[in-house]
Amino acid sequence: MKFLLQIFTWWNGQTLGTRLHTWRFGTRVGQDEAGNVYYQGGKDSEGRTRRWVIYNGYADASAIPPGWHGWMHHRTDVSPADETYTPREWQKAHKPNGTGSINAYRPPGSLNSAGERPRVTGDYDAWTPRS
């Protein structure tokens, strides 16, 4: 089943092409607490070392922790696996995207939430005859 997912889907872990590329060119750098595995190898068009992640499950870029995010985007050359990275107080932990689920954001007055939308100054007043 996992093999078929690698052939036909790109959002579940890695594709077959990514598996072959990683096997051929990748050097494992580390793993985060969510089970995502980070690799590097080869050079990109700007001469920097290529860096990529194999997600543990659904591919969601927001699931990359702050330390690994900085490493992935070449903001630092030292990976969090090689140092003790502590996130800053303003860096939040990953929260899955709730769109389409019961956890989706529903502002007051939306069709999917209880309550009435608060009136604002830019509200439209519909025209009625003889008004």
Side-chain angles (χ1 to χ4, degrees):
M1 181 68 174
K2 193 172 185 179
F3 180 72
L4 288 175
L5 285 174
Q6 288 182 355
I7 293 174
F8 295 111
T9 64
W10 58 264
W11 56 88
N12 288 315
Q14 62 183 327
T15 63
L16 189 58
T18 303
R19 178 182 286 276
L20 291 172
H21 180 81
T22 302
W23 172 74
R24 189 165 178 209
F25 301 109
T27 303
R28 184 183 167 127
V29 176
Q31 183 173 347
D32 66 18
E33 59 274 2
N36 301 325
V37 183
Y38 299 86
Y39 293 90
Q40 68 180 1
K43 299 286 182 187
D44 65 9
S45 61
E46 296 176 6
R48 299 178 302 187
T49 304
R50 287 188 188 273
R51 297 174 178 174
W52 66 95
V53 59
I54 307 290
Y55 294 100
N56 179 21
Y58 186 73
D60 180 7
S62 68
I64 297 176
W68 283 106
H69 183 269
W71 177 81
M72 287 282 294
H73 293 278
H74 298 277
R75 292 190 182 119
T76 178
D77 289 331
V78 181
S79 74
D82 297 335
E83 67 178 357
T84 53
Y85 178 82
T86 54
R88 302 238 163 59
E89 62 184 39
W90 49 267
Q91 292 175 319
K92 297 181 179 182
H94 175 255
K95 182 178 169 187
N97 185 345
T99 303
S101 74
I102 194 70
N103 299 322
Y105 173 70
R106 293 176 175 91
S110 78
L111 297 176
N112 292 327
S113 73
E116 206 170 303
R117 183 179 66 83
R119 187 159 177 83
V120 294
T121 58
D123 275 352
Y124 173 78
D125 292 322
W127 175 84
T128 56
R130 298 186 185 104
S131 61

